[in-house]
Amino acid sequence: MVAAILFVLLIVTRYCDSGNIRRELEIKAGQWDKLMLILGEIDRNYVDTLDYSKITEETIPLLLEKLDPHSVYLPPQELKSAEEELQGNFDGIGVQFNVPNDTAIVIQVISGGPSERAGVLSGDRIVEVDGKRVAGVKLDQDSLVSMLKGKSGTLVKVGFKRGNSKSVLRLDIKRDKIPVKSVDAAYMINKEIGYIVINKFGETTYTEMMTGLAKLSKEGMKKLIVDLRSNTGGYLGAVIQMVNEFLPKG
């Protein structure tokens, strides 16, 4: 752990705007001179060749986890996936699936999406992607997602097992833009109370919420429950927009 932290600080020293950063850190950390001495020795005398890129990616999460439970580092690929979820759409085949054991099972086919058009049904098991077996090989869910995602207009051949059939149903699915909704439900509980479920704070969340509130207002809403119990977070700007609708200025 200590060695990993030292390596990352060494990389910062070598590759960042070292002059200004070093001066700031020297002021803020009384022991910085000692640390710089150690880092210099590692850089000059360490016996092996260092892969700075790999060490950086592996060590930054260790540094941040010592701060608090909410400070995290997302590597580029994870950041791309997270932003796709928050931006309101992504390129893919339009299914939601779980991997309860070693085989992905389709739990929902997005209405009007590529998979529905190709004939995929809920309950189908995904066993092949572009001829590569993905069932029974302990492939993690993120890897399978990355195989199914791709640029709109590109084709992916997906093999499914359906029901008790032993044969593989192979379908050519053309990827497309898949909408991602933030508001799961907006309806009246009784004659006065409206209920709205918001699962994330994305780019389209405020607009979706206002559409839901307009619908509920027409139905006579006088009170409102906003359900955030399964909310995964997201953009602070979206939260501020939403809160501004309920709180007085200031």
Side-chain angles (χ1 to χ4, degrees), residues 186-202:
Y187 59 87
M188 296 295 292
I189 293 177
N190 56 36
K191 292 182 179 181
E192 290 191 344
I193 302 175
Y195 176 75
I196 189 165
V197 183
I198 300 174
N199 62 52
K200 67 174 71 70
F201 301 119

Side-chain angles (χ1 to χ4, degrees), residues 99-161:
V99 188
N101 295 309
D102 61 359
T103 303
I105 300 174
V106 176
I107 58 174
Q108 182 181 2
V109 182
I110 295 175
S111 179
S115 289
E116 184 184 63
R117 295 194 294 268
V120 179
L121 302 176
S122 296
D124 286 350
R125 289 158 290 160
I126 303 174
V127 296
E128 292 179 2
V129 177
D130 285 333
K132 181 178 179 180
R133 186 165 185 82
V134 296
V137 294
K138 296 184 178 180
L139 186 72
D140 64 87
Q141 187 158 333
D142 288 343
S143 297
L144 182 54
V145 167
S146 66
M147 294 172 71
L148 295 173
K149 282 184 176 181
K151 292 186 67 173
S152 290
T154 59
L155 282 175
V156 58
K157 184 184 288 291
V158 186
F160 299 92
K161 285 283 189 73

Side-chain angles (χ1 to χ4, degrees), residues 168-184:
V168 177
L169 173 64
R170 295 180 175 88
L171 299 174
D172 290 325
I173 304 175
K174 182 180 286 189
R175 299 180 178 101
D176 203 348
K177 289 288 183 186
I178 309 300
V180 180
K181 298 298 183 184
S182 302
V183 175
D184 288 336

Side-chain angles (χ1 to χ4, degrees), residues 53-127:
S53 176
K54 181 180 179 183
I55 291 170
T56 301
E57 293 299 318
E58 292 178 348
T59 308
I60 290 176
L62 298 177
L63 291 168
L64 292 179
E65 74 179 17
K66 296 299 180 181
L67 298 179
D68 58 67
H70 309 292
S71 298
V72 297
Y73 168 73
L74 295 178
Q77 190 57 44
E78 289 185 32
L79 177 61
K80 183 174 182 292
S81 297
E83 287 184 333
E84 285 175 345
E85 288 291 318
L86 295 173
Q87 286 168 355
N89 63 72
F90 63 90
D91 294 346
I93 67 170
V95 295
Q96 294 180 350
F97 60 85
N98 280 337
V99 188
N101 295 309
D102 61 359
T103 303
I105 300 174
V106 176
I107 58 174
Q108 182 181 2
V109 182
I110 295 175
S111 179
S115 289
E116 184 184 63
R117 295 194 294 268
V120 179
L121 302 176
S122 296
D124 286 350
R125 289 158 290 160
I126 303 174
V127 296

Side-chain angles (χ1 to χ4, degrees), residues 11 82 111 126 162 166 175 203:
I11 294 161
S111 179
I126 303 174
R162 179 170 295 172
K166 294 183 179 180
R175 299 180 178 101
E203 286 188 5

